[in-house]
Amino acid sequence: MSDLRAERCERMVQPIIDLTGSVLASQVGNLDDFDEVISAAEAVLAVAEQGSYGIDDAAYIDWAGAAPETFRRIIEAAERKDKKAVWLAFADPETGVYRVSAACSGLPRW
């Protein structure tokens, strides 16, 4: 079932790159970057909401369980243009975006 995991992770590569850049840019007061945060987070959320059914990778299963809420928090904070809340959701030590790298570890471009 790693093909399903690989396909989903491939779909997230560019949005995660875009999200990282736009979250960092939003922290220095670029209000336009919040739109980019929302767009990138929505792309990852669409994958996360598919869950982990059919994927047997423990790290992906763990990530998929928490990811939808994390990305919703990022989107909601960006809609409010709340840079602190965006950062807190993005960098959360328990549920933060870094967990997608473990979920996709070993796959091309990850």
Side-chain angles (χ1 to χ4, degrees):
M1 293 293 165
S2 63
D3 287 346
L4 183 57
R5 177 176 159 256
E7 181 270 327
R8 290 186 184 171
C9 288
E10 176 60 29
R11 286 177 42 208
M12 292 188 288
V13 170
Q14 193 60 51
I16 289 292
I17 291 168
D18 295 344
L19 180 64
T20 302
S22 60
V23 165
L24 293 173
S26 75
Q27 298 305 294
V28 294
N30 296 326
L31 295 180
D32 292 340
D33 292 308
F34 287 110
D35 291 336
E36 294 175 25
V37 169
I38 293 166
S39 178
E42 286 175 339
V44 179
L45 177 60
V47 174
E49 286 180 329
Q50 293 180 322
S52 60
Y53 181 78
I55 297 174
D56 61 3
D57 182 85
Y60 191 95
I61 292 166
D62 288 345
W63 171 79
E69 179 59 28
T70 298
F71 287 95
R72 284 187 200 105
R73 285 175 40 218
I74 292 170
I75 292 164
E76 290 167 4
E79 288 172 343
R80 295 189 314 270
K81 300 192 182 327
D82 182 342
K83 69 181 184 179
K84 183 176 180 180
V86 166
W87 181 255
L88 289 173
F90 179 85
D92 186 288
E94 297 295 320
T95 62
V97 174
Y98 76 93
R99 292 184 67 197
V100 72
S101 63
C104 296
S105 179
L107 294 171
R109 298 176 56 187
W110 286 97

